[in-house]
Amino acid sequence: MADRETRPTTVWSRPERGARGPAPERSRTQITAAALALADAEGLAAVSMRALAQRLGTGPASLYRYVGSRDELLDLMADAVAGELDLSGATGGDWLDDLVGLALQSRDAHVRHPWLADLNDRRGEVLGPHAIDYLDHALGILVPAPGTAGQKLEAIGLLGGLAVLFARREAAATATGDPAAGDPSTHAPSTGDPAARAAHLAAVAAEGRHPHLLAALTEAGAPPPADRDALFVRLLRRLLPAMLGQGEP
């Protein structure tokens, strides 16, 4: 009985509609889809019960028959995005390839919904059914991988963090028209020209006050053309095996 009383209550722990009252005109799925469209078009701050009701052509009070609060609506929105990921692929193949593929899907979902990262930062870890499916699927991919259960959970967390980071950089690249903005190691001057940024960094290093930077730039040579996908995959393929005690593949 105590466990039942202390169990956290979420929007998914309650039935979608009460046993009494008129038949519902809408579903949580329809309401959530409308909220996603509103956030994609106008940003997360635009998502309110009043604005959503206007979008659906109803009154705000009617929405509370389906969703108890704006926070619950945000939980539904985050889980709906998790449901966009394709988890139908079989596990048990090359775990690193499969996990990188899942990471690419996660990054693309954050690119499609740039408000999602800020939402997750504010709401904490509220896992809905689709997010739990994602976590279980990722753990299934990692069954043949080395490492403890704790290390595997940390690796999945790293995967999600990098997906958010690169999605944010891609959003910045789209806003500035700068293809190199996808490289999170780049700290640029005011210009959006990658060649100008590289020349600026080389000129600073050549002044002699940053010997380690000069040595690294000299050894590395000219940077390759910016490729966000390639950089994202390269980092994952280096970091994930190392986190699981396998070392660089």
Side-chain angles (χ1 to χ4, degrees):
M1 184 68 176
D3 287 344
R4 185 180 304 171
E5 292 174 350
T6 58
R7 185 178 304 153
T9 300
T10 71
V11 64
W12 299 282
S13 65
R14 301 191 310 276
E16 184 163 347
R17 59 163 298 192
R20 299 180 179 180
E25 299 175 356
R26 297 176 177 82
S27 67
R28 282 180 183 165
T29 299
Q30 292 171 325
I31 292 169
T32 303
L36 288 177
L38 181 59
D40 288 345
E42 302 183 31
L44 189 63
V47 179
S48 68
M49 300 299 276
R50 181 176 299 277
L52 182 58
Q54 290 177 346
R55 193 177 187 94
L56 291 168
T58 187
S62 69
L63 296 184
Y64 288 101
R65 295 173 53 199
Y66 309 91
V67 182
S69 66
R70 182 176 185 268
D71 285 342
E72 288 191 352
L73 177 63
L74 298 180
D75 290 343
L76 288 168
M77 291 167 62
D79 197 61
V81 176
E84 295 177 4
L85 275 62
D86 181 8
L87 308 181
S88 62
T91 60
D94 185 310
W95 67 266
L96 186 53
D97 285 346
D98 290 344
L99 204 60
V100 167
L102 192 61
L104 287 167
Q105 283 199 66
S106 179
R107 185 209 57 186
D108 291 346
H110 280 84
V111 170
R112 289 193 302 273
H113 308 290
W115 46 266
L116 180 61
D118 291 336
L119 171 58
N120 287 334
D121 287 344
R122 291 164 50 184
R123 63 193 278 276
E125 295 296 327
V126 181
L127 296 183
H130 288 120
I132 293 172
D133 289 344
Y134 164 86
L135 180 59
D136 186 75
H137 182 75
L139 288 169
I141 288 174
L142 287 172
V143 165
T148 65
Q151 288 174 324
K152 291 177 180 181
L153 288 169
E154 289 174 350
I156 294 169
L158 173 70
L159 179 154
L162 281 177
V164 170
L165 173 63
F166 273 75
R168 282 175 163 161
R169 296 296 298 183
E170 186 153 337
T174 301
T176 63
D178 178 6
D183 182 350
S185 65
T186 299
H187 297 273
S190 57
T191 178
D193 181 1
R197 288 205 308 271
H200 168 77
L201 191 60
V204 170
E207 292 174 357
R209 294 183 294 109
H210 305 89
H212 303 296
L213 176 59
L214 178 60
L217 291 177
T218 301
E219 180 180 345
D227 186 331
R228 286 186 290 275
D229 282 355
L231 178 61
F232 184 58
V233 170
R234 188 162 66 248
L235 287 177
L236 285 171
R237 295 187 69 86
R238 289 176 181 171
L239 292 173
L240 290 172
M243 287 191 70
L244 297 173
Q246 183 174 315
E248 184 175 341

